[in-house]
Amino acid sequence: ITKEVEQERIAWEKRPLSQRYIAIFVDALYVKLRRGDTVSADAIYVVCGIEETGKRDILGIYAGTTESSTFWKTVFTDLTNRGVQQILLVVFDGVTGLEDIVHEIFPKAMTQRCIVHMIRNTLDRVRPQHKEAVAISCKKIYQSKTIQEAKDTLLKMKIEWESKYPKLFSSWIHHIESLMQFLEFPEYLRPHLYSTNWIERM
């Protein structure tokens, strides 16, 4: 069965892509792969995109070992080789160095950190009895209508929680611009742009 679909897989892997994407979503998922007699949990790099027509597509799937910005550079280079010239927004989970890679290859692209990943990381640092209340605080931030409203709300949340968790929102403050880039887009698009979660669902 594998041999039957191999040529089709290769053709799909190398097919030309659209020149312009509203957004692309990148994430590395760890799955078990068999290589010879050994099985290991390796990183599978997944790139999905939204075309100008609104169509969603899987642009590429790449097998690596661990997630790194170096491998992501290889992935983005492959996208350009297959015809991608412009990306308005790149949505990612915050892996170190990825923003620099994006701006090196697509200088005009905006970068959006996945808000769901940020919320998960925040909730991992609070006690169980506070998780629901902190989640509501985080929701108030990303439901803001403007970047200034988001910053004002973030400041209020920081003050509200700093007696219990002094550094809880430090990462939010440091990355607030890239966490709220989706606000640059029309309101009807925003719910589709702030998270990489649909890669995990796929």
Side-chain angles (χ1 to χ4, degrees):
I1 293 173
T2 303
K3 289 179 180 178
E4 286 291 324
V5 301
E6 183 64 5
Q7 292 303 314
E8 189 174 344
R9 181 193 67 79
I10 292 172
W12 177 85
E13 199 172 67
K14 298 182 180 300
R15 77 197 190 283
L17 299 174
S18 300
Q19 293 184 357
R20 190 170 187 262
Y21 286 88
I22 299 297
I24 68 167
F25 303 76
V26 300
D27 201 2
L29 310 177
Y30 283 86
V31 300
K32 291 183 177 180
L33 298 182
R34 179 182 296 279
R35 288 190 172 93
D37 295 329
T38 61
V39 176
S40 59
D42 289 2
I44 300 298
Y45 293 72
V46 184
V47 182
C48 299
I50 300 177
E51 298 179 3
E52 289 185 286
T53 59
K55 177 187 175 185
R56 290 183 173 191
D57 194 12
I58 303 169
L59 308 187
I61 299 175
Y62 309 81
T65 51
T66 59
E67 186 174 14
S68 70
S69 58
T70 303
F71 196 94
W72 276 119
K73 185 172 184 178
T74 303
V75 171
F76 279 100
T77 300
D78 179 64
L79 297 181
T80 61
N81 291 340
R82 291 163 59 203
V84 180
Q85 297 178 9
Q86 184 182 23
I87 300 169
L88 298 186
L89 185 70
V90 177
V91 187
F92 71 111
D93 65 359
V95 63
T96 303
L98 183 56
E99 282 179 289
D100 294 335
I101 297 299
V102 170
H103 294 142
E104 177 183 338
I105 300 176
F106 296 100
K108 295 183 179 180
M110 295 184 288
T111 52
Q112 167 69 46
R113 285 176 175 258
C114 175
I115 286 180
V116 174
H117 277 83
M118 178 64 85
I119 292 174
R120 287 177 189 164
N121 292 339
T122 303
L123 295 179
D124 284 344
R125 298 162 56 198
V126 303
R127 291 182 284 277
Q129 64 266 34
H130 297 142
K131 287 186 183 294
E132 184 177 355
V134 171
I136 292 172
S137 295
C138 295
K139 191 173 183 179
K140 289 178 182 177
I141 298 169
Y142 77 78
Q143 287 185 334
S144 300
K145 300 297 185 184
T146 66
I147 183 64
Q148 188 57 53
E149 181 184 337
K151 289 179 178 179
D152 293 342
T153 303
L154 174 57
L155 181 59
K156 292 177 183 176
M157 297 304 104
K158 178 182 181 299
I159 293 170
E160 180 181 342
W161 288 102
E162 65 182 350
S163 63
K164 293 183 178 66
Y165 306 102
K167 297 182 179 180
L168 184 62
F169 286 99
S170 296
S171 187
W172 285 80
I173 293 170
H174 184 68
H175 298 294
I176 188 63
E177 298 287 345
S178 61
L179 281 167
M180 306 302 293
Q181 285 282 7
F182 70 99
L183 293 178
E184 297 289 331
F185 290 81
E187 195 164 347
Y188 72 92
L189 274 178
R190 294 175 185 176
H192 305 287
L193 298 178
Y194 62 70
S195 170
T196 60
N197 269 22
W198 69 280
I199 292 182
E200 296 176 17
R201 291 197 299 271
M202 175 202 64

